[in-house]
Amino acid sequence: MTVVQVTYTIMGERRTVEGAEGQTLLQIALDHSLPMEHACGGNGFCTTCLCRVEAGMEHLTPRSDREEGMGIDTDPQRLCCQTKLSGTGPVEVTAEEF
Ligand code: FES
């Protein structure tokens, strides 16, 4: 299992945690009790998990049809519930109003 360092900035709080290849950015945040919004339960229907990828986009899965369907179609914006780790990282994201 590849362990990947993911740094989150949520509501101004910055924290680096470890995730595993194949996990979504939302799963990793919730596993570490980070307060990431996920109103639709991680199903790609609400955009409350919207983030800006500050670094490491190349270590994430390609944009999904669901993201594009929700209008999240331009880098660096991604939906954390639809975006999985696919490489060795590190990855840095900001998830807050921006
Ligand atoms: S949690 Fe609703 S779109 Fe990601």
Side-chain angles (χ1 to χ4, degrees):
M1 181 182 80
T2 304
V3 173
V4 180
Q5 291 217 319
V6 185
T7 300
Y8 293 86
T9 300
I10 303 176
M11 307 298 192
E13 293 274 331
R14 191 166 187 272
R15 221 178 117 196
T16 300
V17 300
E18 290 186 342
E21 198 174 346
Q23 287 188 299
T24 67
L25 293 173
L26 175 63
Q27 285 171 339
I28 297 162
L30 298 181
D31 284 351
H32 293 86
S33 302
L34 299 178
M36 181 173 285
E37 299 289 339
H38 54 290
C40 73
N43 291 305
F45 288 107
C46 71
T47 75
T48 57
C49 67
L50 180 66
C51 74
R52 181 174 64 224
V53 177
E54 312 284 4
M57 187 72 90
E58 67 275 24
H59 301 298
L60 300 171
T61 50
R63 189 176 303 281
S64 69
D65 290 345
R66 170 118 315 273
E67 289 178 282
E68 294 199 350
M70 293 300 287
I72 312 303
D73 56 6
T74 309
D75 288 349
Q77 295 192 342
R78 300 295 305 267
L79 293 179
C80 286
C81 69
Q82 302 297 305
T83 305
K84 295 179 181 174
L85 297 178
S86 66
T88 54
V91 172
E92 180 159 356
V93 301
T94 300
E96 57 193 338
E97 298 295 319
F98 56 83

